[in-house]
Amino acid sequence: MGANAVRAAVLHEYGKPLDIEEIDLEPTGPGQVRVRIAASGICHSDLSVIQGKFPFPVPCVLGHEGAGVVTEIGDGVQRVQPGDHVILNWNPGCGTCPLCQRGEIHLCESAATWTFNSPYASVRGTPLFRGLGTATFADETLTVERAVVPIDADIPLDIAALVGCAITTGVGAVLNTAAVPAGSTVAVVGCGGVGLSVVMGAKLAGAERIVAVDLSAERRAIARSLGATDEVDGGGDAMQAVLDLTAGLGVDYAFEVVGVPVTMQLAWRITRRGGTTVAVGAGSAEEETSFRMFDLFFQSRSLVGCVYGSAAPDRDFPRFLGMWKQGELPIDALVTERIALEQINDAFDAMQAGEGARSVIINP
């Protein structure tokens, strides 16, 4: 392979498996950083792109939960140097817009034009896009300076990778978005990698009761091991089961971590009067849900959206890694399988079957 040729998992057509093939990265330009990917977690949002629920241009390389080592920097780059260990940040703020200036970096829309919609490579001469901003399903990637966050070199990169999405989104939803106070009751609807991170966040916050709701008995068991006090089979009468556990009241905070109307409605209905429902799951651009006007008034519940755990990555990535070092955040427990890039389609099949928490691609 040439100097800019790397292996990557390419999505050519919605609904089709990813193809492992050689791509050519563009030369590293001003303000850009090239990173050798050491580890990349497989997130449900990647599956949503494959299924066509998220409208991204194709062909593209997916993967947005990754960590690695800087191999090359362009002119003007100051955040990192070659050899630095970094976490990829799929939602970097521009740093200058009004939202960034207010500290709401997770809400910046300007940066998406750099990372989502600009070709960064080619495959057999066809321009190639970063499907979710960072294109970590590859041996190497090329991104903008603000999309990398340097970390200490002693942190295992497979642990660091999960901070790039699951941990930051889930734990951040609890600590940043909802600011759950100690003693609260919490329900988590959907216990994949992000939902399990919500469970960990709720335990960190000192929640008195944490109810894990999922179709998968395996994932409910993992949730138990991470701090859930109760579990509910999402395939049964989950609403009544949660109400029974809370003396008919419902929970103070319900986190929806699937992104489909039926689970959104469930999360809403198990939230107590005056409580808060947090929409964490990334839903389809086409699907809608609705709420009765009387309920919005009479139940006095709050419905809160949550992008990337309301995180400021430069602050929160090191913060969450510090919690891991102190034994407060068992990130390791999310990893149920370490795989090679060639096994990526099997990992997505396992995800759809409700197996495991997080598969992580480990590059040699």
Side-chain angles (χ1 to χ4, degrees):
M1 294 193 297
N4 288 330
V6 300
R7 290 182 317 145
V10 181
L11 175 67
H12 287 279
E13 184 180 349
Y14 294 138
K16 300 293 185 181
L18 304 181
D19 294 319
I20 309 301
E21 54 190 317
E22 184 177 304
I23 69 170
D24 294 299
L25 297 178
E26 293 181 351
T28 305
Q32 294 184 330
V33 177
R34 182 163 167 170
V35 180
R36 177 179 60 80
I37 302 299
S40 183
I42 296 178
C43 179
H44 196 278
S45 295
D46 299 303
L47 178 61
S48 292
V49 177
I50 294 171
Q51 294 173 333
K53 293 180 179 180
F54 292 173
F56 282 95
V58 292
C60 64
V61 175
L62 298 176
H64 62 285
E65 185 179 83
V69 180
V70 175
T71 59
E72 189 174 54
I73 61 174
D75 292 342
V77 171
Q78 298 180 355
R79 288 171 66 86
V80 293
Q81 295 293 324
D84 285 352
H85 289 206
V86 296
I87 298 175
L88 280 296
N89 168 15
W90 63 265
N91 191 29
C94 68
T96 59
C97 73
L99 289 170
C100 283
Q101 292 297 304
R102 290 167 59 96
E104 297 176 322
I105 297 166
H106 59 290
L107 299 180
C108 175
E109 296 180 353
S110 302
T113 60
W114 312 336
T115 54
F116 285 19
N117 300 320
S118 302
Y120 80 110
S122 62
V123 56
R124 298 187 300 280
T126 300
L128 195 58
F129 297 86
R130 305 176 189 89
L132 277 165
T134 53
T136 60
F137 291 162
D139 291 332
E140 295 190 45
T141 192
L142 178 68
T143 189
V144 296
E145 179 180 13
R146 292 188 63 84
V148 297
V149 177
I151 60 172
D152 294 340
D154 63 343
I155 296 172
L157 289 170
D158 57 343
I159 298 300
L162 299 189
V163 174
C165 182
I167 292 295
T168 295
T169 302
V171 177
V174 177
L175 302 185
N176 296 335
T177 308
V180 172
S184 300
T185 55
V186 169
V188 183
V189 181
C191 293
V194 176
L196 292 170
S197 298
V198 174
V199 170
M200 287 193 280
K203 183 179 180 182
L204 272 171
E208 178 182 331
R209 169 162 254 158
I210 306 169
V211 184
V213 183
D214 200 279
L215 294 170
S216 166
E218 178 186 1
R219 288 178 173 172
R220 296 197 304 271
I222 297 172
R224 281 272 198 179
S225 73
L226 294 175
T229 58
D230 303 274
E231 62 179 90
V232 168
D233 183 351
D237 189 347
M239 181 179 73
Q240 189 59 52
V242 174
L243 293 178
D244 289 345
L245 287 169
T246 56
L249 183 65
V251 295
D252 299 320
Y253 296 87
F255 293 84
E256 195 282 343
V257 203
V258 183
V260 296
V262 64
T263 48
M264 188 70 252
Q265 287 291 331
L266 173 61
W268 176 255
R269 290 169 182 165
I270 61 176
T271 303
R272 70 165 174 84
R273 195 176 181 195
T276 301
T277 307
V278 185
V280 183
S284 164
E286 304 299 326
E287 291 181 311
E288 297 182 357
T289 190
S290 61
F291 305 94
R292 295 190 305 174
M293 292 299 295
F294 181 78
D295 281 348
L296 290 170
F297 151 73
F298 185 73
Q299 298 297 342
S300 192
R301 297 178 183 128
S302 298
L303 176 61
V304 180
C306 174
V307 176
Y308 211 5
S310 305
D314 287 346
R315 175 198 69 199
D316 287 322
F317 286 5
R319 175 190 179 198
F320 295 146
L321 287 172
M323 292 176 178
W324 172 76
K325 283 185 172 182
Q326 294 165 15
E328 299 172 348
L329 197 57
I331 299 174
D332 323 52
L334 283 187
V335 182
T336 47
E337 190 172 16
R338 290 172 171 82
I339 63 173
L341 183 63
E342 290 78 8
Q343 297 171 281
I344 190 168
N345 290 310
D346 292 336
F348 279 117
D349 289 341
M351 175 185 289
Q352 293 185 82
E355 299 172 3
R358 231 3 165 229
S359 295
V360 179
I361 299 167
I362 304 297
N363 286 331

